[in-house]
Amino acid sequence: MIAQFGILLSFLAAGEFIVWLTGINIPSSIIGMLLLTASLKAGIVKPSYVERLSNFLVHNLGFFFVPAGVGVMNCFGLISEQWLPIVAASVGSTVIIIAVSGQVHGFVRRALARKPQIIKSEAEA
Amino acid sequence: MEFMTDKFFLLAVTFVFYIGARKLQRATGLVLINPILVSIAAIICFLLLFDIDYSTYHKGGEYIDFWLKPAVVALGLPLYKQLPTIKKQILPLLISELCGCVAGIVSVVAIAKLLGASHEVIMSLAPKAVTTPIAMEVSGAVGGIPALTAAVVVCTGIFGGMAGFKIMRMSRIKSPIAQGLSIGTAAHAVGTSAAMERSERYGAFSSLGLTLNGLLTAMLAPFVLHLIGAI
């Protein structure tokens, strides 16, 4: 478990290093995640090296957001003044994002699946 | 009373409320009793009741915040397991993410503006679909209030995790890949934890959605906001 923690933290540190080096506008954790995926793919890290801790963290992800959510109490004033646009915009746009990304994904997939047939029928014609 | 501000006590309170909320959800089976939402509400009530301010609470809470970053790194494992499928679908994935990202920013700005939100609130809402660290970064960069963004991000995630699968049923999104992807795109890591409860496959595509939308939002949000004349 200590080794697993060490590995995840090393990838996070690598992410932090890249951010520091390049001044890039992407969080170190996302870079660390991509580096971990790449290392697993390259075989540098075996899935069993990180599996136990990763599963624990990934399956309890929601809990780690609780303190950040409690921070809402610092913005009560602003929220009580403008609660309607804040709530409506967040809810409305969440529905839109889900519908748009899901539908576009399905649409592009179907369009790509149809393509070989079109080429075939053109050849026949 | 001084003991109430002890960071280990406040940490324990956080765990106890969360475990209690989770037990309550399992006992009732109600989606509305979301453990994250319920424990946040309970902790806020507790802090207000005993007159403890957020900065004091955060001395304990930051030890939980700390785990957010390693947890995001850990998402690299489920992502790796789905690499073959991702490779096969690279084009649909990229195009749908790009559309989801732009639609999200434009729609949140449009609705907030229409309902009369102030400029700084609109800017705080713009990056609300992506994970907290990226959203706060973008919010600060475009003139929003990062603290408000963090709160809205968590609430959006909870809403997306609770209602996401229902929205997909209504908009007839059926493939597990599209479902996982869109919940991660709209509701970042909190949505991903809801997807993870369904299966690892949903979770992996959800983490792909949160990653791609996070990257796209970080890179495109200022540009999109300029383009629609919001800044």
Side-chain angles (χ1 to χ4, degrees):
Chain A
M1 215 48 173
I2 294 284
Q4 306 217 345
F5 191 37
I7 293 171
L8 287 188
L9 277 187
S10 305
F11 278 101
L12 184 55
E16 296 269 344
F17 178 70
I18 290 175
V19 170
W20 173 79
L21 199 69
T22 60
I24 198 170
N25 220 354
I26 297 166
S28 53
S29 55
I30 297 274
I31 297 173
M33 174 179 82
L34 295 174
L35 288 176
L36 176 62
T37 307
S39 307
L40 285 161
K41 176 73 183 153
I44 302 165
V45 175
K46 288 208 176 80
S48 61
Y49 293 177
V50 288
E51 197 134 41
R52 270 176 65 204
L53 183 61
S54 292
N55 284 343
F56 165 73
L57 290 174
V58 165
H59 288 281
N60 292 289
L61 209 51
F63 173 69
F64 304 117
F65 279 93
V66 171
V70 175
V72 76
M73 66 188 283
N74 269 351
C75 315
F76 274 162
L78 206 60
I79 292 170
S80 67
E81 279 167 28
Q82 306 190 28
W83 65 272
L84 183 67
I86 293 174
V87 173
S90 306
V91 169
S93 132
T94 302
V95 174
I96 289 171
I97 296 172
I98 290 178
V100 167
S101 52
Q103 290 292 354
V104 171
H105 178 263
F107 177 78
V108 177
R109 231 180 126 187
R110 281 192 300 274
L112 287 178
R114 256 199 312 272
K115 218 171 161 188
Q117 286 169 348
I118 295 167
I119 295 165
K120 207 175 147 196
S121 62
E122 275 170 356
E124 278 166 6
Chain B
M1 269 323 229
E2 201 132 282
F3 175 72
M4 301 290 267
T5 58
D6 182 86
K7 63 183 177 187
F8 291 108
F9 173 72
L10 291 168
L11 257 178
V13 165
T14 308
F15 275 84
V16 167
F17 277 129
Y18 184 78
I19 295 163
R22 208 170 55 176
K23 280 218 161 107
L24 194 67
Q25 186 184 39
R26 281 181 189 161
T28 57
L30 289 173
V31 195
L32 209 64
I33 304 182
N34 177 291
I36 308 166
L37 186 66
V38 172
S39 51
I40 289 171
I43 292 165
I44 290 177
C45 292
F46 177 87
L47 296 178
L48 292 175
L49 192 67
F50 293 102
D51 202 21
I52 303 164
D53 57 22
Y54 180 69
S55 58
T56 309
Y57 170 73
H58 196 249
K59 288 206 172 75
E62 67 185 354
Y63 291 94
I64 299 172
D65 281 346
F66 166 82
W67 289 91
L68 272 171
K69 285 187 168 209
V72 171
V73 175
L75 286 170
L77 182 63
L79 200 58
Y80 160 74
K81 289 181 180 166
Q82 294 299 328
L83 272 184
T85 324
I86 294 168
K87 228 183 228 162
K88 255 187 273 167
Q89 298 209 15
I90 190 80
L91 210 55
L93 289 174
L94 284 179
I95 296 174
S96 57
E97 280 309 297
L98 194 63
C99 294
C101 169
V102 175
I105 298 171
V106 173
S107 63
V108 81
V109 169
I111 299 171
K113 206 161 200 168
L114 210 66
L115 294 172
S118 65
H119 180 74
E120 53 182 1
V121 167
I122 296 176
M123 290 303 123
S124 314
L125 291 174
K128 65 105 190 59
V130 299
T131 193
T132 331
I134 303 184
M136 289 176 78
E137 195 93 16
V138 173
S139 168
V142 297
I145 309 155
L148 178 63
T149 303
V152 175
V153 163
V154 176
C155 295
T156 298
I158 295 168
F159 170 73
M162 279 163 54
F165 285 101
K166 201 163 235 165
I167 298 166
M168 286 183 263
R169 227 175 298 135
M170 274 158 34
S171 50
R172 296 208 197 115
I173 296 163
K174 285 187 193 117
S175 106
I177 296 175
Q179 291 194 343
L181 188 73
S182 21
I183 207 161
T185 309
H188 56 92
V190 181
T192 302
S193 76
M196 231 11 130
E197 279 168 27
R198 296 230 155 175
S199 81
E200 278 234 333
R201 193 169 146 82
Y202 279 106
F205 277 95
S206 188
S207 45
L208 184 67
L210 93 88
T211 308
L212 287 177
N213 195 21
L215 294 173
L216 289 172
T217 301
M219 293 183 293
L220 297 180
F223 177 70
V224 173
L225 288 170
H226 258 295
L227 211 65
I228 59 175
I231 36 175

